[in-house]
Amino acid sequence: MKGLNLNYSDRLWTKSYTLILIINLFVYIAFYLLVPTLPAFAKQIGGSNLQASLVVSGFSISSLICRAVTGYLADKVDRKPLLVIGLFILALCTLSYMFLPISAVIVVRILQGVGWGMSSTAIAAVVSEMVPGKLRGEGMGYYSLSMIISMSLAPIIAIMVMNNYKFNVVAVFSIILVGVAILVLQLLTVPHNKVQRLGHKKGNVIVLRDLFEKRALFPSFLCFLLVIPLCGIMSYIMLYGQEIKLSNIWVYFIGHVSMILVTRSFVGKLFDRKGHAVVIIPGAISMIIGLIILSYVHSVTTLVISSLFYGFGYGAVQPSLQAWAINRSPVERIGAANGTFLSSMDLSFTIGSIVLSLVAGIKSYALMYRFSDIFMVLFILVYGFGLLKEKKNAIHKEDLLENVS
């Protein structure tokens, strides 16, 4: 079953694949418009620093839990209803922020984490099933590209809009994007699940091991380490700009997304032809260089150089890890594999935002970026250990086959 391909086309760029990428782009932009602005809005309506942080942490925890459940359900039921329900929760929660006091905003933000976990995990499961197995690296690369473009451009748009208008305008823009995604979804034919999980016990009873795909755990742990430095960039680079007195720090995201666009032309194909090692190791080294340069930035020139190194590395490594996680997993557990992988990103943002903010508070944001490089060094060490283990297992299997023959 692991090698079975349920896709009804061997082509990557089908109508359905194009539409799901458009939906994913709109949904991620809608979500990331709120990331830098909602905590600031919480303080504007009378919230304390603690309450503003709860807006972030509460959301991450509920999203983390919901991803696991949705990943399991995506393997058992039709995915389109899960996606629609998640998008409606996302939009309704965003609408309510404009009318609620801070205490209610925190509660609704936790509920919005459920909507985000449902919608983003369901989209990932749909994409994974649409992509032909032999084009997994390329197909998941373009899916990840739509995510990364959103993460890079949405904060720029959100901060500019909020500086010139107010949070309500950001919220309305986010709601409109989700509404467009729901309309586009009506044009999409989502294949019904034809594969049920083998060996499922006790009818429809869900047990904890069903919520996570164990074969995806190693790439997911690597993604956890990978995303901690990204959390420092997404959450604190504007404050870093204030620290080094660089007002146009947002230029970083332009260089970041530009290099990611460049990597898409070859990284996915290289993954499919040569495997993950030739992509992941150079990408991780490039990210380390980018973070070091970022920690010493004092001009736009060095800022752009750091963003190019980091953007190249992240654009190569993150999609490769996700494709690897799916390739390692049985086809009937694709939803759970995606849920496991995306949950690692939520957990990374939750822990990373706390740890890195403590480091920045002790010394500076520059030191924080140097400190975050420790996680990338650890990433390379863990990944290298995993490669050696895989090689030893492969040699052991070859020896067993030779002895049997």
Side-chain angles (χ1 to χ4, degrees), residues 22 36 44 66 83 96 214 249 262 272 308 350 368 374 395:
I22 293 172
Q44 286 181 4
C66 189
L83 179 50
S96 69
K214 63 180 181 180
I249 194 78
V262 171
D272 291 326
L308 295 179
T350 303
M368 180 196 74
I374 293 174
I395 294 173

Side-chain angles (χ1 to χ4, degrees), residues 335-356:
N338 274 302
T340 302
F341 186 85
L342 295 174
S343 293
S344 72
M345 298 181 70
D346 286 333
L347 184 61
S348 187
F349 261 91
T350 303
I351 296 176
S353 62
I354 297 172
V355 172
L356 296 182

Side-chain angles (χ1 to χ4, degrees), residues 79-104:
R79 291 149 183 172
K80 194 169 184 177
L82 291 175
L83 179 50
V84 171
I85 293 170
L87 291 179
F88 269 107
I89 294 174
L90 202 62
L92 291 175
C93 289
T94 302
L95 177 64
S96 69
Y97 293 141
M98 296 184 282
F99 310 102
L100 297 176
I102 179 60
S103 56

Side-chain angles (χ1 to χ4, degrees), residues 74-257:
D75 291 322
K76 307 299 292 181
V77 302
D78 290 340
R79 291 149 183 172
K80 194 169 184 177
L82 291 175
L83 179 50
V84 171
I85 293 170
L87 291 179
F88 269 107
I89 294 174
L90 202 62
L92 291 175
C93 289
T94 302
L95 177 64
S96 69
Y97 293 141
M98 296 184 282
F99 310 102
L100 297 176
I102 179 60
S103 56
V105 166
I106 295 172
V107 175
V108 173
R109 184 64 168 163
I110 294 173
L111 177 60
Q112 192 172 44
V114 174
W116 175 243
M118 288 182 67
S119 57
S120 56
T121 306
I123 289 174
V126 172
V127 172
S128 300
E129 188 162 305
M130 285 181 177
V131 173
K134 64 182 180 181
L135 299 175
R136 186 80 71 192
E138 185 179 0
M140 295 307 296
Y142 284 112
Y143 157 72
S144 297
L145 176 63
S146 66
M147 295 168 53
I148 297 167
I149 289 175
S150 305
M151 294 168 64
S152 299
L153 297 184
I156 299 174
I157 298 170
I159 292 170
M160 287 183 174
V161 170
M162 193 161 177
N163 285 342
N164 290 283
Y165 301 97
K166 55 183 180 179
F167 175 77
N168 287 4
V169 178
V170 177
V172 170
F173 187 26
S174 176
I175 294 168
I176 290 173
L177 288 174
V178 175
V180 172
I182 293 173
L183 292 176
V184 176
L185 182 59
Q186 306 315 305
L187 304 175
L188 177 67
T189 300
V190 178
H192 295 284
N193 289 350
K194 296 180 181 179
V195 178
Q196 296 297 323
R197 178 172 175 253
L198 301 179
H200 187 60
K201 300 178 181 179
K202 299 181 182 181
N204 292 322
V205 176
I206 301 177
V207 295
L208 184 60
R209 65 176 176 271
D210 292 332
L211 302 182
F212 298 95
E213 173 48 50
K214 63 180 181 180
R215 297 169 186 83
L217 285 176
F218 184 62
S220 298
F221 176 69
L222 289 171
C223 183
F224 168 80
L225 296 174
L226 178 82
V227 171
I228 289 179
L230 177 69
C231 174
I233 292 172
M234 293 295 296
S235 302
Y236 304 120
I237 198 165
M238 295 300 171
L239 295 173
Y240 180 47
Q242 295 174 9
E243 177 180 279
I244 62 176
K245 295 179 173 57
L246 198 62
S247 59
N248 49 355
I249 194 78
W250 55 267
V251 171
Y252 181 90
F253 292 105
I254 303 298
H256 180 85
V257 75

Side-chain angles (χ1 to χ4, degrees), residues 299-342:
S299 68
V300 173
T301 301
T302 50
L303 179 69
V304 171
I305 293 173
S306 70
S307 71
L308 295 179
F309 273 102
Y310 188 85
F312 172 82
Y314 189 81
V317 176
Q318 193 274 343
S320 299
L321 287 177
Q322 188 164 9
W324 185 27
I326 295 167
N327 284 345
R328 286 167 60 99
S329 305
V331 68
E332 71 273 10
R333 294 282 289 165
I334 282 178
N338 274 302
T340 302
F341 186 85
L342 295 174

